[in-house]
Amino acid sequence: MRAWLAIVAGVALGAGVAWWLARESPDAGARKQARADQAAAAQARDARPSLYRWRDDAGVLQITEQPPKDRRFERIDREAPASIRVSGDVATDAD
């Protein structure tokens, strides 16, 4: 009977140690969540339609739908953010 209890205790102890070693630390979970958030933000940014502003060898400003391969460029969103509103209804009289 004692051998049976020793086997059960050993299996329980082994399962407890395996569980303890397999769990993630809170820091690892937070780092993983931060990386996932950054990847989701990058995917959302890449999915938006955009234009690319850059200068050619002559210094002429170019705005294209495809980014240049061999030079720096600035990414411009095609759609303005929802918070920006332009209204031409207001007229000022300079009398």
Side-chain angles (χ1 to χ4, degrees):
M1 188 68 168
R2 286 187 174 184
W4 180 79
L5 288 176
I7 292 171
V8 169
V11 168
L13 182 64
V17 169
W19 171 80
W20 182 263
L21 294 176
R23 68 186 183 96
E24 281 188 356
S25 68
D27 287 344
R31 286 192 306 266
K32 187 185 289 186
Q33 182 63 39
R35 284 193 311 267
D37 291 342
Q38 287 175 348
Q43 280 184 331
R45 184 179 63 242
D46 291 342
R48 291 190 310 240
S50 59
L51 296 173
Y52 300 93
R53 182 183 351 200
W54 53 280
R55 296 202 179 262
D56 62 9
D57 292 333
V60 178
L61 178 66
Q62 303 288 328
I63 298 177
T64 59
E65 292 183 353
Q66 298 296 322
K69 292 183 172 48
D70 59 343
R71 61 187 73 238
R72 291 179 31 161
F73 60 87
E74 180 183 355
R75 185 181 180 129
I76 305 167
D77 286 337
R78 281 189 177 190
E79 299 173 5
S83 62
I84 295 176
R85 294 185 184 199
V86 178
S87 176
D89 296 340
V90 178
T92 58
D93 291 333
D95 289 312

